Amino acid sequence: QVQLVESGGGLVQAGGSLRLSCAASGLTFSRYAMGWFRQAPGKEREFVAAISWSGGNTDYADSVKDRFTISRDNAKNTVYLQMNSLKPEDTAVYHCAAGSSWYSTEGRLYDYWGQGTQVTVSS
């Protein structure tokens, strides 16, 4: 069975940094696009970042562009989200997702989802 396990969340002050990791198992990792999404209480899930199979293409939400960086290490079956200059509005549960079609901003196009990791940014 496919498993995606996020880690690296926590509580940080505004302006701080966190690196989230998502370790995948049960799939051919290099054949899946990977994405990060987040959901805050009372809000809909929103796209954060995505990366293609080999890492040659990336996409970011405007709200995180130039602050967050998505990357992947196919040898380790892991995708990362480096988050810098964090803001209180970044507070959310962050989920990673794997999709066999293409990297996308739409969550419905992803096949598998992790349980999520909480990121809380204090002001």
Side-chain angles (χ1 to χ4, degrees), residues 13-117:
Q13 292 185 326
S17 298
L18 285 173
R19 189 179 74 161
L20 306 184
S21 298
C22 174
S25 62
L27 52 75
T28 303
F29 185 74
S30 64
R31 299 301 302 275
Y32 282 80
M34 300 295 296
W36 286 96
F37 295 78
R38 67 188 183 187
Q39 187 167 24
K43 295 184 178 181
E44 295 184 350
R45 182 180 62 197
E46 66 175 343
F47 167 76
V48 177
I51 189 166
S52 60
W53 294 355
S54 62
N57 294 280
T58 59
D59 195 15
Y60 298 92
D62 288 343
S63 60
V64 306
K65 186 176 178 63
D66 299 325
R67 297 190 298 119
F68 292 9
T69 302
I70 188 171
S71 62
R72 65 191 297 161
D73 186 341
N74 287 351
K76 296 182 178 180
N77 288 359
T78 301
V79 63
Y80 305 95
L81 185 68
Q82 178 66 47
M83 305 185 295
N84 298 325
S85 301
L86 283 162
K87 304 174 181 179
E89 50 263 46
D90 295 318
T91 296
V93 176
Y94 284 70
H95 298 264
C96 69
S100 60
S101 297
W102 62 85
Y103 73 107
S104 175
T105 63
E106 298 185 23
R108 66 180 181 86
L109 297 181
Y110 289 82
D111 303 306
Y112 305 104
W113 293 81
Q115 185 173 329
T117 185

